[in-house]
């Protein structure tokens, strides 16, 4: 498993969102900056704080010309319940089997027992310009991504 690094292009992938609609990354490259945040599990305390922070700053991301996507291994139905419960206003992508997580090389934490929490910011060309990896500093995923987007053309 080779991890995606700054300067790499986002790999091509498509996953269903919380409404069962397929989101294909190739449709967003060239159109907007992209923020992908991989999180461990729907409706856990840290993941809920992170997801709601992305929700609360959604307009800031839109103003920066960015599309936001949350990605984890739960089902479309789980994502739908999570999104509705917390009024999430962006796409949650269902990566059952963690194929995309593996494609990005997102590390596990806590001795490999928990899927990692990593945020990737890519510019309009699909080039990764920033990566933030922290299991516990959930608010920083949003803060750092917005800070970086302020410097992306």
């Amino acid at each position: 498993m080779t991890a995606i690094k700054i300067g790499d292009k986002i790999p091509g992938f498509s996953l269903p969102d919380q409404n069962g609609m397929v989101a294909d990354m190739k449709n967003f490259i060239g159109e907007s900056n992209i923020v992908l945040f991989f999180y461990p599990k729907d409706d856990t305390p840290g993941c809920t704080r992170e997801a709601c922070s992305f929700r609360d700053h959604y307009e800031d991301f839109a103003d920066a010309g960015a599309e936001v996507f949350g990605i984890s291994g739960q089902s479309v139905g789980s994502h739908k319940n999570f999104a509705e419960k917390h009024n999430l206003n962006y796409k949650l992508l269902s990566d059952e089997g963690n194929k995309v997580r593996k494609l990005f090389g997102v590390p596990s934490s806590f001795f490999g027992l928990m899927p990692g929490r990593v945020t990737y910011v890519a510019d309009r060309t699909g080039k990764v310009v920033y990566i933030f990896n922290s299991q516990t500093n959930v608010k920083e995923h949003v803060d750092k991504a917005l800070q970086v987007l302020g410097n992306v053309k």
Side-chain angles (χ1 to χ4, degrees):
M1 170 168 71
T2 303
I4 298 295
K5 301 177 295 305
I6 291 175
D8 290 347
K9 291 279 190 178
I10 289 178
F13 69 90
S14 57
L15 291 171
D17 69 13
Q18 68 266 34
N19 298 309
M21 302 298 293
V22 174
D24 190 333
M25 278 304 112
K26 73 179 178 193
N27 295 330
F28 297 94
I29 294 172
E31 297 297 318
S32 61
N33 298 311
I34 298 169
V35 177
L36 303 171
F37 71 96
F38 287 86
Y39 64 99
K41 190 174 180 186
D42 292 342
D43 236 358
T44 57
C47 296
T48 299
R49 280 195 312 276
E50 181 181 26
C52 289
S53 187
F54 274 103
R55 175 202 64 205
D56 294 345
H57 291 283
Y58 183 78
E59 289 302 320
D60 298 325
F61 285 102
D63 290 346
E67 288 283 343
V68 175
F69 302 89
I71 304 174
S72 73
Q74 286 72 58
S75 68
V76 168
S78 176
H79 283 352
K80 186 166 187 64
N81 292 337
F82 184 47
E84 288 176 355
K85 180 177 181 181
H86 299 287
N87 297 309
L88 302 180
N89 49 2
Y90 51 86
K91 295 181 186 302
L92 295 179
L93 304 180
S94 176
D95 185 22
E96 289 188 275
N98 293 311
K99 292 178 183 73
V100 173
R101 180 177 288 276
K102 291 172 187 164
L103 182 65
F104 274 75
V106 176
S108 295
S109 62
F110 300 113
F111 306 105
L113 299 175
M114 181 180 289
R117 183 185 314 278
V118 180
T119 298
Y120 298 84
V121 178
D123 65 14
R124 289 180 188 278
T125 69
K127 182 177 82 173
V128 176
V129 296
Y130 186 75
I131 301 169
F132 184 69
N133 180 355
S134 176
Q135 195 72 6
T136 56
N137 295 323
V138 295
K139 187 174 179 325
E140 280 190 65
H141 286 265
V142 171
D143 295 343
K144 299 278 188 184
L146 283 171
Q147 182 181 16
V148 168
L149 284 167
N151 298 318
V152 173
K153 305 271 185 279

